[in-house]
């Protein structure tokens, strides 16, 4: 019996995925990206479990996220901040031994003016063509001039199109990256996120997988399959029959031509089940697929269970993400990606960790 809508997180699956990716990345170090509360899986739980498994480098997006990881893991692991740090956050980063990434000349100037510059080497993010974040190629000379007395520990960049292996941007960015890393010969080179691990010879010295740790993203040529880490289930609240001609839900957007058996479950868009899954999404009950019918509302979703032969009654679980309900397929049905679906699972959903 499932009383509450729940996200069950399998920490063993995340460790297994990290090991599989570590194997795939060859000699490169495999870090863990735990931003956005470890893509919704719980940054303290995920980072401490991965730390025990041997991971020593963790990437977050913000200083606040990094502080959570630092507090959980103690002094040793390296905790990076992708977005860098400004103002008071720079002081917090220095006090807590965090490593903000330098993404622009202005971040580099602020770093030089802070106490961080006396104690730490810098991580430089170079924009090799995505045009989103990072020091532009045209600013390299100026960056070098600002770095005369500061050493560079990592030179990183980020792919725009790694999930499309044949996209010409991948080779172009790799070429730019090879060019730019020659400027800092001793530095650790890092280019690949999860999808980059599917491209030839892009692991360099350090890889930064996020979504693949959690079992999502585009397929990768791993020896063992990646396992889904999060299962999202909601309890059936009520089961009822409707005659031919009946509608269901707000706006009466679904009309049934034949008599149907429906089950309404306790999950809605306030839990992070996107409203765009209305009449598009699916769930699994006892391993059998059923469709979302009508509009998803704030707290409720209705399923057509007419053809489900497994037991359907209040308290039975309907799985929306997990072993049966594939994350990326559900995300595609919502017109989005696994990233957005995972990070959108809301705080009302109870989280339970295993392993
Ligand atoms: C989020 C992020 C990653 C991880 O990306 P995935 O696609 O989840 O593997 C790696 N590098 C940077 C710069 C990021 O922002």
């Amino acid at each position: 019996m499932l009383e509450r809508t729940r996200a069950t997180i399998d920490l063993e699956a995340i460790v297994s995925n990290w090991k599989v990716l570590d194997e795939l990345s060859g000699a490169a170090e495999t870090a863990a990206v735990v931003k956005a509360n470890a893509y919704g899986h719980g940054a303290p739980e995920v980072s401490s479990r991965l730390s025990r498994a041997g991971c020593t480098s963790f990437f977050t997006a913000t200083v606040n996220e990094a502080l959570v990881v630092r507090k959980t893991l103690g002094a040793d692991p390296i905790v990076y901040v992708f977005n860098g740090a400004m103002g008071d956050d720079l002081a917090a980063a220095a006090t807590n031994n965090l490593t903000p990434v330098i993404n622009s000349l202005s971040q580099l100037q602020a770093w030089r003016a802070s106490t961080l510059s006396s104690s730490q080497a810098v991580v430089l993010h170079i924009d090799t063509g995505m045009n989103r974040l990072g020091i532009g190629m045209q600013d390299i000379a100026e960056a070098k001039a600002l770095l005369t007395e500061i050493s560079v520990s990592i030179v990183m960049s980020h792919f725009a199109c790694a999930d499309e292996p044949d996209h010409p941007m991948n080779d172009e960015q790799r070429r730019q990256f090879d060019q730019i890393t020659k400027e800092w010969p001793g530095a650790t080179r890092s280019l690949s996120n999860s999808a980059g691990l599917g491209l030839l010879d892009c692991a360099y010295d350090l890889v930064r997988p996020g979504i693949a740790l959690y079992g999502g993203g585009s397929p990768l040529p791993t020896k063992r399959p990646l396992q889904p880490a999060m299962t999202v289930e909601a309890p059936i609240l009520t089961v009822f029959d409707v005659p031919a001609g009946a509608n269901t839900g707000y706006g009466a957007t679904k009309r049934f031509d034949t008599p149907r058996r429906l089950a309404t479950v306790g999950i809605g868009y306030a839990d992070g089940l996107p409203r765009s899954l209305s009449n598009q999404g699916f769930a699994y009950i006892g391993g059998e697929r059923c469709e979302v019918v009508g509009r998803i509302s704030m707290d409720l979703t209705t399923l057509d269970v007419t053809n489900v032969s497994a037991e359907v009654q209040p308290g039975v679980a309907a799985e929306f993400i997990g072993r049966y309900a594939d994350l990326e397929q559900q995300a595609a049905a919502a017109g989005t990606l696994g990233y957005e679906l995972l990070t959108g699972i809301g705080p009302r959903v109870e989280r339970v960790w295993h392993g």
Side-chain angles (χ1 to χ4, degrees):
M1 168 119 177
L2 181 71
E3 287 96 351
R4 295 177 222 120
T5 301
R6 190 167 69 191
T8 308
I9 289 127
D10 182 350
L11 296 171
E12 286 297 341
I14 296 172
V15 168
S16 161
N17 292 341
W18 180 74
K19 289 181 174 164
V20 167
L21 297 170
D22 194 32
E23 218 177 294
L24 181 63
S25 65
E29 178 187 349
T30 304
V33 178
V34 294
K35 63 192 180 187
N37 196 28
Y39 294 45
H41 296 68
E45 291 78 6
V46 169
S47 51
S48 61
R49 189 65 191 80
L50 283 173
S51 176
R52 270 202 285 146
C55 180
T56 56
S57 297
F58 296 84
F59 284 89
T60 61
T62 68
V63 167
N64 267 345
E65 290 178 348
L67 287 172
V68 169
V69 176
R70 173 62 73 220
K71 205 171 151 203
T72 306
L73 298 183
D76 286 343
I78 310 174
V79 184
Y80 299 95
V81 183
F82 276 138
N83 289 4
M86 298 188 274
D88 289 348
D89 272 358
L90 260 181
T95 311
N96 294 280
N97 190 27
L98 308 177
T99 307
V101 173
I102 306 282
N103 296 292
S104 63
L105 291 178
S106 73
Q107 286 189 342
L108 182 52
Q109 276 148 353
W111 172 284
R112 274 164 51 98
S114 76
T115 56
L116 277 166
S117 59
S118 59
S119 59
Q120 279 196 32
V122 300
V123 177
L124 290 184
H125 178 187
I126 309 295
D127 193 323
T128 50
M130 186 175 184
N131 291 317
R132 183 184 66 165
L133 189 65
I135 296 171
M137 306 291 276
Q138 71 286 355
D139 290 334
I140 298 299
E142 202 171 333
K144 285 200 84 165
L146 288 167
L147 282 163
T148 44
E149 265 141 49
I150 301 174
S151 65
V152 174
S153 60
I154 299 181
V155 178
M156 60 168 271
S157 190
H158 193 54
F159 279 123
C161 307
D163 55 350
E164 298 171 57
D166 297 329
H167 200 292
M169 276 286 287
N170 296 324
D171 273 347
E172 179 56 24
Q173 285 194 267
R174 203 186 143 204
R175 211 176 51 73
Q176 299 276 20
F177 189 66
D178 285 337
Q179 198 60 36
I180 221 67
T181 47
K182 284 192 195 125
E183 303 282 340
W184 291 281
T188 297
R189 299 160 301 166
S190 178
L191 180 57
S192 285
N193 61 343
S194 299
L197 283 168
L199 305 176
L200 204 60
D201 293 334
C202 286
Y204 292 95
D205 306 313
L206 174 75
V207 296
R208 315 183 304 267
I211 193 77
L213 289 175
Y214 311 105
S218 44
L220 290 174
T222 57
K223 289 214 182 90
R224 283 172 288 144
L226 299 172
Q227 297 169 40
M230 188 192 287
T231 303
V232 175
E233 297 166 298
I236 292 174
L237 305 178
T238 171
V239 182
F240 54 98
D241 295 304
V242 295
N247 306 298
T248 183
Y250 282 123
T253 61
K254 179 73 181 182
R255 184 180 180 281
F256 301 104
D257 295 333
T258 56
R260 311 304 289 170
R261 172 160 290 185
L262 305 183
T264 294
V265 301
I267 187 170
Y269 57 75
D271 300 293
L273 195 68
R275 190 165 174 274
S276 53
L277 285 175
S278 300
N279 289 312
Q280 303 291 328
F282 56 89
Y284 279 78
I285 296 173
E288 291 177 60
R289 184 179 162 122
C290 49
E291 307 301 318
V292 169
V293 285
R295 281 200 187 137
I296 289 175
S297 46
M298 186 184 290
D299 320 302
L300 297 167
T301 295
T302 301
L303 300 168
D304 183 344
V305 297
T306 312
N307 298 322
V308 173
S309 60
E311 186 186 38
V312 178
Q313 63 173 42
V316 166
E319 182 194 284
F320 287 83
I321 298 173
R323 189 150 61 99
Y324 297 105
D326 180 75
L327 169 70
E328 296 298 341
Q329 279 178 29
Q330 190 75 278
T336 183
L337 300 170
Y339 297 89
E340 192 176 6
L341 203 49
L342 287 177
T343 57
I345 298 301
R348 187 166 71 182
V349 177
E350 179 182 49
R351 267 136 174 111
V352 180
W353 288 269
H354 289 303

